[in-house]
Amino acid sequence: MNSKELEERIIQNYQGEEKMMILVFAQWCINHNLDPEEIYLKAYPDQRKNISLQEALELTVPKEEAGDVPDETLLGVLSMFGNDDLAFVVMEELKKMKKGS
């Protein structure tokens, strides 16, 4: 494998992992009766229609069918991809949920 092929494979792996991160975020939102697009826009107001988020939404399942997505898992995945703004908004939502309990 030459360096160009290796570079392409690394990019493909990263993009695949990024899509998984977005799916985890979207499913977490669904599981907590939150609108993923609304939460995403709070973090990134300049990104109205995120294609990757739209694709992830098509793969989510109703919360009754979904497995649990622990809060710590979501925050860790967001952090791993440098989505600090989105992680901050998620933490704000968690605070609201805890106050409402």
Side-chain angles (χ1 to χ4, degrees), residues 58-92:
E58 292 175 13
L59 298 174
T60 60
V61 296
K63 71 179 189 176
E64 298 78 25
E65 297 174 24
D68 183 42
V69 178
D71 303 335
E72 298 79 23
T73 299
L74 174 62
L75 292 170
V77 170
L78 292 175
S79 175
M80 191 169 70
F81 280 88
N83 278 317
D84 298 331
D85 293 339
L86 189 54
F88 179 79
V89 173
V90 166
M91 287 190 297
E92 291 296 310

Side-chain angles (χ1 to χ4, degrees), residues 9 11 13 25 28-29 32 35 38-40 44-45 47 77 95-96 99-101:
R9 182 170 279 172
I11 290 169
N13 285 342
F25 162 72
W28 179 88
C29 289
H32 289 88
D35 180 348
E38 182 180 315
I39 301 299
Y40 188 86
Y44 304 109
Q47 296 183 24
V77 170
K95 287 178 189 176
K96 287 180 194 175
K99 284 182 181 178
S101 305

Side-chain angles (χ1 to χ4, degrees), residues 1-80:
M1 177 181 310
N2 66 35
S3 63
K4 181 69 174 162
E5 290 171 335
L6 178 60
E7 182 180 324
E8 287 176 16
R9 182 170 279 172
I10 291 169
I11 290 169
Q12 287 174 345
N13 285 342
Y14 180 84
Q15 289 171 335
E17 290 171 1
E18 185 179 43
K19 286 182 180 188
M20 183 57 68
M21 177 268 304
I22 296 168
L23 178 58
V24 169
F25 162 72
Q27 190 63 59
W28 179 88
C29 289
I30 300 295
N31 290 358
H32 289 88
N33 299 317
L34 299 170
D35 180 348
E37 292 176 300
E38 182 180 315
I39 301 299
Y40 188 86
L41 276 175
K42 286 181 183 179
Y44 304 109
D46 296 335
Q47 296 183 24
R48 281 253 166 243
K49 287 291 180 188
N50 182 298
I51 304 280
S52 296
L53 181 55
Q54 297 296 319
E55 291 171 355
L57 288 173
E58 292 175 13
L59 298 174
T60 60
V61 296
K63 71 179 189 176
E64 298 78 25
E65 297 174 24
D68 183 42
V69 178
D71 303 335
E72 298 79 23
T73 299
L74 174 62
L75 292 170
V77 170
L78 292 175
S79 175
M80 191 169 70

